[in-house]
Amino acid sequence: MNDKTTPEAPLQLGRRRFINSTALAGLTLGVAACSDKGSPAAAAAGSAPAAAGDSNLHVHLKPGELDSYYGLWSGGHTGDMRVLGMPSGRELLRIPCFVPDALVGWGITNESKAVMGTKADGSLRYTVGDTHHVHASYKDGNYDGRYAWVNDKINSRLARVRLDYFVCDKITELPNVQGFHGIFPDKRDPVDPAINYTTRVFCGTEFAIPLPNNGVNADKPETYHSVMTCVDAETMDVRWQIVIDGNCDLLATSFDGKLAATNQYNTEMGVHYEDMMSAERDACLFYNIARIEQAVKDGKFKTYGDSKVPVVDGTKAANQDPKTALTCYVSVPKNPHGVNASPDGKYFICSGKLSPTATVIDLAKVLEWFDGKLDKADAAIVAEVELGLGPLHTAFDGRGNAFTTLFLDSQVVKWNIDAAIKFTGGDKNAQYVVDRLDVSYQPGHLNATQSETTAANGQFLCVGCKFSKDRFLPVGPLHPENEQIIDISGEKMVLVADHPVRGEPHDFIIFKRDLVHPKQVYQLDDFPLALKDAKEAGVTRNGKKVTVRIASQAPAFSPREFTVKKGDEVTIILTNLDKVEDLTHGFAIPKYNVNFIVNPQETQSVTFIADRPGVYWCYCTHFCHALHLEMRSRMIVEA
Ligand code: CUK
Ligand code: CUA
Ligand code: CA
């Protein structure tokens, strides 16, 4: 073991100073240090990987062996969600959401375009996206395998993925929002105990914009706000929004459904980063969900611009009396990043980012504040301890320990929450730091098996390192990111695997494989346009609109050929009548920019103008049969 994994007495952490006016210098130094660490010499000297032999974690599966966990990863600005088998780290699927995907024809088919959103001319409204946070629906404090959600920061959209077919089925664009960042589903209803599952998804906003943002109030700072948004988990409609002071960032929800919270790094409402780090403390802002929904019911809201969404007032000025307040501002040092809910349901933890600390907030005390029984909101803070430089995100093992990434130190630190509370309470002998582990390099998110559920089991965690530097064969200037797997089942953390991943995931969740029940063959009846039989295939014409109904059954399309006229608006409806698991067909039309797939018993359609006369061999792109290459249909476009 190298010395970096030796537990450090909390008292020795005094050398890690708060980053105050020297924040900039500190950040610069941090990055410089990370370059040094990346040099081969430094790697050999200090951060050699721990031997996999120190762990019993089964990361190298034998051929044919299956993983025991699913991981759902955000894809960053590839705009997708990814499915990994864990703990092997093998990528199983990319689920396109916000960005076209050539493999499946996402953004090509009419069905996917309807989910993504189109302009009046039928073209896609957006073709870029930036996914950061993936979370799944809950029941009784654990994932229930219905849905997962992921945000698009660029265009303020929330996508939902069905976890039976692992496809995106709805996308909602949030009004009054830019820089849509954190998301978290609620875990149960705050009022009705019978509703013990997710019915809302909360969405945080980093950027303040003028409300309404209509081009006439850009120079009026008093009109700039950021809001938190509540989306209905089932309909995906926006239920309400709440205007706040400062910005939102990430979100957490309590296990009793009563509270949601966001970390705020820009309570200063600064426009430039120097302004955003001028205050010593920002905040963790708590939302009283039941009260907000009551305010909406009582009509105490505004609307902005074209949006009909009710917006209630969560600003400090409007929420002075705790007994009626919708929001509670608990101060947290300095530009905090991340807020995470401990699996025992008691605490939310905010990391300081520009302060080397984590702040532990007691949810019972926040509720006392809302009842008027706690003098000051800050009295809900039960621990504030130094962890190291650049703390960002926290995961849990379900045994009272927290694991926090230290971006600038390139470490994961394991610390005990109860010991941290004792230390803050005056017991200076309380050893709250349990272990430290170097990671490679500059970690952002981490998450442990079942971490933010009542079933947190602390088997292993994955840490998303933003820089891989020297860990993989060089492939030119663009490096993969490095997802590292760490065994956390024992007292000491053990690094067991590196995985290169395509840029650039942020957050992810890891859960037991039996919590989802994927279906591998579609139901024909779920598609209104489906052909029930190959005999229904053929061409129908309505003026210049032509519908071509095609069936695929390996190794043939029916019909084998079809004819349209130049200038026709052609809609191809393709049903895959094969019922066999894993028997997917593709359908490409040369020169027409068409390619998409149909899975077993699935129907998809495309519409295009037949503007190029000639003969076009439509062919199957997805290898399906020994006669896959022969699987074609001839499209004739008459001049
Ligand atoms: S943010 Cu990426 S490392 Cu978007 Cu969750 Cu913290
Ligand atoms: Cu059908 Cu390849
Ligand atoms: Ca700040």
Side-chain angles (χ1 to χ4, degrees):
M1 284 287 138
N2 67 47
D3 59 346
K4 286 281 170 61
T5 59
T6 308
E8 255 175 287
L11 283 172
Q12 296 173 310
L13 280 167
R15 68 180 171 82
R16 301 174 187 278
R17 308 302 312 167
F18 273 64
I19 308 176
N20 295 330
S21 52
T22 52
L24 250 186
L27 287 173
T28 318
L29 280 173
V31 173
C34 106
S35 308
D36 285 339
K37 253 183 188 168
S39 73
S47 42
D54 297 340
S55 162
N56 292 322
L57 189 65
H58 201 41
V59 291
H60 300 294
L61 299 189
K62 295 201 180 71
E65 242 186 303
L66 301 183
D67 280 291
S68 40
Y69 291 85
Y70 282 95
L72 298 181
W73 253 250
S74 67
H77 48 109
T78 58
D80 54 13
M81 187 192 291
R82 301 176 189 171
V83 186
L84 273 63
M86 296 300 291
S88 76
R90 299 179 296 190
E91 185 180 289
L92 308 175
L93 183 69
R94 291 184 187 179
I95 304 171
C97 298
F98 301 112
V99 170
D101 182 292
L103 179 81
V104 301
W106 191 256
I108 296 285
T109 62
N110 295 331
E111 291 74 15
S112 60
K113 283 164 85 175
V115 173
M116 294 173 82
T118 54
K119 301 191 231 175
D121 68 357
S123 63
L124 290 174
R125 174 131 211 106
Y126 305 112
T127 54
V128 295
D130 183 18
T131 65
H132 285 226
H133 300 109
V134 175
H135 290 288
S137 55
Y138 283 79
K139 185 175 187 181
D140 263 336
N142 199 358
Y143 301 124
D144 65 2
R146 284 183 298 148
Y147 299 122
W149 289 272
V150 67
N151 73 307
D152 164 25
K153 179 167 170 175
I154 300 175
N155 296 311
S156 308
R157 292 175 292 172
L158 179 71
R160 183 175 73 185
V161 166
R162 292 175 59 150
L163 290 178
D164 51 358
Y165 292 111
F166 284 80
V167 290
C168 172
D169 75 332
K170 280 195 188 270
I171 290 177
T172 295
E173 186 171 342
L174 311 183
N176 304 326
V177 164
Q178 269 176 39
F180 163 30
H181 194 213
I183 63 169
F184 220 100
D186 65 359
K187 300 185 177 101
R188 58 195 313 143
D189 191 84
V191 179
D192 183 351
I195 303 176
N196 63 346
Y197 52 88
T198 295
T199 58
R200 306 168 181 82
V201 183
F202 301 114
C203 306
T205 304
E206 276 185 80
F207 308 154
I209 53 171
L211 292 182
N213 193 20
N214 54 10
V216 301
N217 42 14
D219 294 326
K220 295 181 192 147
E222 68 279 8
T223 66
Y224 278 64
H225 294 289
S226 81
V227 301
M228 194 273 270
T229 304
C230 174
V231 175
D232 189 286
E234 215 44 61
T235 65
M236 288 289 282
D237 293 334
V238 177
R239 283 194 186 181
W240 46 260
Q241 297 183 307
I242 179 167
V243 163
I244 56 167
D245 290 318
N247 69 328
C248 289
D249 192 14
L250 287 95
L251 284 148
T253 59
S254 65
F255 281 84
D256 61 11
K258 291 178 180 165
L259 297 169
T262 188
N263 63 294
Q264 300 190 284
Y265 63 79
N266 189 14
T267 50
E268 303 90 337
M269 292 287 275
V271 178
H272 306 293
Y273 68 82
E274 296 90 337
D275 309 325
M276 297 185 205
M277 41 192 235
S278 59
E280 281 318 305
R281 291 181 83 91
D282 287 292
C284 180
L285 167 57
F286 286 84
Y287 303 95
N288 187 316
I289 303 305
R291 284 188 193 171
I292 292 171
E293 302 223 319
Q294 192 58 48
V296 173
K297 266 191 204 139
D298 296 344
K300 295 180 191 156
F301 61 79
K302 290 189 193 169
T303 60
Y304 292 100
D306 298 336
S307 163
K308 302 263 181 304
V309 170
V311 185
V312 300
D313 190 348
T315 57
K316 281 183 189 163
N319 292 276
Q320 289 296 310
D321 178 5
K323 286 194 162 169
T324 56
L326 309 181
T327 51
C328 168
Y329 291 73
V330 177
S331 86
V332 171
K334 154 168 197 170
N335 287 34
H337 189 89
V339 54
N340 295 95
S342 66
D344 58 11
K346 290 185 188 164
Y347 309 113
F348 281 5
I349 291 171
C350 265
S351 297
K353 190 168 76 181
L354 298 190
S355 149
T357 53
T359 302
V360 182
I361 301 169
D362 186 332
L363 300 187
K365 295 199 173 196
V366 174
L367 290 173
E368 278 176 33
W369 184 86
F370 276 118
D371 285 343
K373 293 179 193 146
L374 197 69
D375 267 8
K376 281 182 160 178
D378 282 6
I381 297 170
V382 288
E384 197 161 278
V385 287
E386 295 191 11
L387 297 178
L389 293 182
L392 295 186
H393 296 286
T394 297
F396 305 91
D397 64 3
R399 298 184 288 269
N401 299 304
F403 300 79
T404 301
T405 48
L406 301 175
F407 182 82
L408 296 177
D409 278 342
S410 276
Q411 286 184 335
V412 172
V413 55
K414 173 180 178 180
W415 54 287
N416 184 276
I417 299 170
D418 281 343
I421 293 170
K422 282 191 190 120
F423 182 83
T424 303
D427 178 0
K428 296 302 168 198
N429 293 320
Q431 302 276 317
Y432 61 86
V433 171
V434 181
D435 193 19
R436 293 177 183 279
L437 183 72
D438 286 353
V439 296
S440 308
Y441 304 91
Q442 263 68 43
H445 277 276
L446 81 175
N447 219 340
T449 48
Q450 295 279 156
S451 177
E452 281 186 58
T453 73
T454 51
N457 62 357
Q459 274 206 304
F460 60 90
L461 66 76
C462 195
V463 52
C465 298
K466 298 294 185 192
F467 298 84
S468 63
K469 296 178 174 292
D470 53 357
R471 303 294 282 198
F472 306 109
L473 283 178
V475 287
L478 179 63
H479 293 236
E481 293 190 35
N482 188 13
E483 299 282 325
Q484 296 191 299
I485 299 171
I486 296 169
D487 184 341
I488 56 167
S489 60
E491 180 85 348
K492 293 225 164 247
M493 296 179 279
V494 183
L495 179 62
V496 282
D498 279 15
H499 284 283
V501 289
R502 185 168 187 227
E504 55 122 31
H506 292 248
D507 203 2
F508 49 88
I509 56 173
I510 303 167
F511 54 88
K512 285 205 166 147
R513 71 181 189 198
D514 55 9
L515 292 175
V516 287
H517 305 283
K519 297 178 186 163
Q520 290 169 309
V521 175
Y522 278 101
Q523 305 268 352
L524 216 53
D525 296 340
D526 287 349
F527 300 91
L529 299 177
L531 284 71
K532 310 285 182 217
D533 191 283
K535 292 198 195 85
E536 295 175 12
V539 179
T540 51
R541 174 176 288 277
N542 179 5
K544 283 208 149 280
K545 294 195 180 202
V546 177
T547 303
V548 186
R549 306 184 78 205
I550 302 177
S552 64
Q553 247 174 327
F557 291 114
S558 318
R560 304 286 174 97
E561 65 174 56
F562 55 95
T563 302
V564 299
K565 293 196 175 67
K566 186 184 177 198
D568 284 345
E569 184 196 283
V570 180
T571 296
I572 289 182
I573 298 169
L574 173 59
T575 297
N576 183 359
L577 290 176
D578 278 312
K579 290 188 180 127
V580 183
E581 183 183 318
D582 204 4
L583 218 174
T584 296
H585 297 288
F587 193 84
I589 311 177
K591 312 295 183 189
Y592 274 93
N593 196 39
V594 168
N595 182 41
F596 62 101
I597 61 164
V598 276
N599 289 300
Q601 302 281 290
E602 187 182 25
T603 299
Q604 294 287 313
S605 66
V606 291
T607 300
F608 56 92
I609 305 292
D611 53 1
R612 295 177 159 199
V615 164
Y616 299 92
W617 290 103
C618 309
Y619 71 98
C620 178
T621 44
H622 212 89
F623 214 110
C624 55
H625 191 275
L627 293 172
H628 157 74
L629 290 176
E630 288 82 350
M631 186 167 176
R632 301 180 202 170
S633 181
R634 189 169 66 132
M635 177 172 80
I636 300 161
V637 181
E638 291 179 343

